[in-house]
Amino acid sequence: MKVRTEARREAIVEAAAKLFLEVGYEAASMNELAKRLGGSKATLYGYFPSKEELLAAVVRVFATAHLAEATEALLKELESRLELKPALLRFGERVLQVLTNDRTAASIHRLVLAEAGRSRIGQLFHDAGPRQCLDALTELMTTAMARGEVRQGDPRVGANQFLALLTAEINARSFEPDPPPLKPAEIRQLVKRAVEMFLLGATPRP
């Protein structure tokens, strides 16, 4: 029974993702989703008490799961006391691989941007993945400051500034209808430039 229940939950999330991307979050209804799945609204609400919680599940599965993996890897590297530069390079490559080459994740992100001004979807998206990512980077910056690898300051600000540099060269892709995937070598160069620029401004002056 547990296996069938989990399989049903996964089917609901997959169908919801398709519906949200087709018609938008606000226009999507639980009635339409139940019709597509061949069940009832009561069944859907048994798995997800609200459409917002269903959206959060869609975001976690299709848009932020890989970010969570990158965050977990970064935390493990913190435990192993890896130096700041290689940690940022590895983390950056994992993140940009998702942001540039995962088309479903990119589509969900666009959905979030389109609906953020009309509902809590933006906050739901942030809480479902990027917040944990930022928390891990903040912890890395705190450790780097304690080691003297970067100048003293607000580690949260440092984490935000690095993320801004990391995505600076790919932001324009959000406005393209179907941007081509980037090759691993291209991603490495993007990350290398972002890390070098960050360290240029953050490294303590002699």
Side-chain angles (χ1 to χ4, degrees), residues 12 15-17 19 29-39 44 54:
I12 292 171
L19 180 60
S29 70
M30 298 297 263
N31 278 329
E32 175 61 23
L33 183 58
K35 186 187 302 181
R36 293 188 179 198
L37 287 164
L44 294 181
L54 178 55

Side-chain angles (χ1 to χ4, degrees), residues 15 18 43 46 65 74 81 91 112 122 129 132-133 143 149 151 159 169 175 185 197:
K18 291 178 180 177
T43 299
L74 179 60
R81 301 183 64 80
F91 173 79
V112 169
Q132 287 78 14
C133 193
T143 300
E149 293 177 294
R151 293 199 304 275
E169 292 189 65
F175 303 102
M197 182 62 70

Side-chain angles (χ1 to χ4, degrees), residues 9 25 47-58 60 124:
R9 185 182 189 280
Y25 173 71
Y47 285 91
F48 301 97
S50 69
K51 191 170 75 167
E52 284 189 347
E53 292 197 25
L54 178 55
L55 172 68
V58 167
R60 282 191 295 270
L124 288 170

Side-chain angles (χ1 to χ4, degrees), residues 6-176:
E6 183 59 28
R8 183 62 172 170
R9 185 182 189 280
E10 291 174 359
I12 292 171
V13 172
E14 185 174 348
K18 291 178 180 177
L19 180 60
F20 291 152
L21 291 176
E22 284 178 22
V23 304
Y25 173 71
E26 289 299 327
S29 70
M30 298 297 263
N31 278 329
E32 175 61 23
L33 183 58
K35 186 187 302 181
R36 293 188 179 198
L37 287 164
S40 66
K41 274 204 311 181
T43 299
L44 294 181
Y45 285 120
Y47 285 91
F48 301 97
S50 69
K51 191 170 75 167
E52 284 189 347
E53 292 197 25
L54 178 55
L55 172 68
V58 167
V59 167
R60 282 191 295 270
V61 171
F62 291 101
T64 64
H66 295 308
L67 289 182
E69 292 171 6
T71 300
E72 184 178 350
L74 179 60
L75 291 173
K76 288 180 180 178
E77 288 168 352
L78 267 171
E79 293 175 1
S80 67
R81 301 183 64 80
L82 186 69
E83 291 183 0
L84 179 63
K85 184 174 181 178
L88 291 178
L89 287 170
R90 293 183 191 181
F91 173 79
E93 287 183 24
R94 293 185 183 108
V95 170
L96 286 197
Q97 176 65 31
V98 178
L99 296 181
T100 60
N101 291 354
D102 188 325
R103 295 191 176 185
T104 301
S107 296
I108 295 292
H109 189 243
R110 287 177 179 171
L111 170 68
V112 169
L113 291 177
E115 301 286 351
R118 295 188 289 269
S119 68
R120 292 182 59 247
I121 184 173
Q123 190 63 48
L124 288 170
F125 176 83
H126 184 68
D127 291 345
R131 181 186 296 277
Q132 287 78 14
C133 193
L134 184 59
D135 288 344
L137 271 176
T138 299
E139 187 175 344
L140 177 65
M141 295 299 167
T142 300
T143 300
M145 288 176 186
R147 294 176 184 171
E149 293 177 294
V150 297
R151 293 199 304 275
Q152 294 298 314
D154 187 332
R156 194 76 167 188
V157 171
N160 273 306
Q161 289 174 336
F162 174 69
L163 286 176
L165 285 169
L166 185 62
T167 57
E169 292 189 65
I170 66 167
N171 284 334
R173 292 169 61 90
S174 299
F175 303 102
E176 299 175 22

